[in-house]
Amino acid sequence: MTVAVASVLALGLLGGPAVVFSTTAWHLVTDSGTTAFSRFLAPLVFLALVALPLVVARVVFRSGRRKGKERLTAAVPAALTLLGASALPLAALCLIFVYGD
């Protein structure tokens, strides 16, 4: 139950930033007034912000599996890590909204 609830909440928290960051990246790539550097770098930064929680959760899960834990037992810390780490893109999105002009 913990794994399911934490996973749903984490994916819900990641959904908003993923949509906003992807549309922003699309506008940066297709806009004629942006530089080649920002066309390449901005989508990579946005992708890294959204993918980071998933990578960290996978590392935690694989670490639990190496210690000999069962799959479900190893999934609980990974799901909670995913939930905690999904706050990073949400916080970045909030900062962009607050301080962006």
Side-chain angles (χ1 to χ4, degrees):
M1 186 68 171
T2 303
V3 173
V5 170
S7 298
V8 168
L9 286 174
L11 292 176
L13 286 174
L14 285 174
V19 169
V20 171
F21 290 159
S22 64
T23 56
T24 303
W26 177 258
H27 287 295
L28 281 173
V29 168
T30 58
D31 191 21
S32 61
T34 58
T35 63
F37 181 73
S38 65
R39 285 183 184 185
F40 177 72
L41 187 64
L44 286 180
V45 170
F46 294 155
L47 178 65
L49 279 174
V50 173
L52 182 67
L54 300 171
V55 172
V56 172
R58 180 171 185 218
V59 168
V60 170
F61 179 72
R62 292 182 62 82
S63 172
R65 292 290 291 163
R66 276 193 295 264
K67 292 180 182 176
K69 295 180 182 178
E70 293 183 19
R71 184 175 291 274
L72 187 59
T73 308
V76 172
L80 293 176
T81 301
L82 178 64
L83 180 60
S86 62
L88 176 70
L90 187 66
L93 181 64
C94 291
L95 286 174
I96 289 171
F97 281 151
V98 169
Y99 292 110
D101 288 331

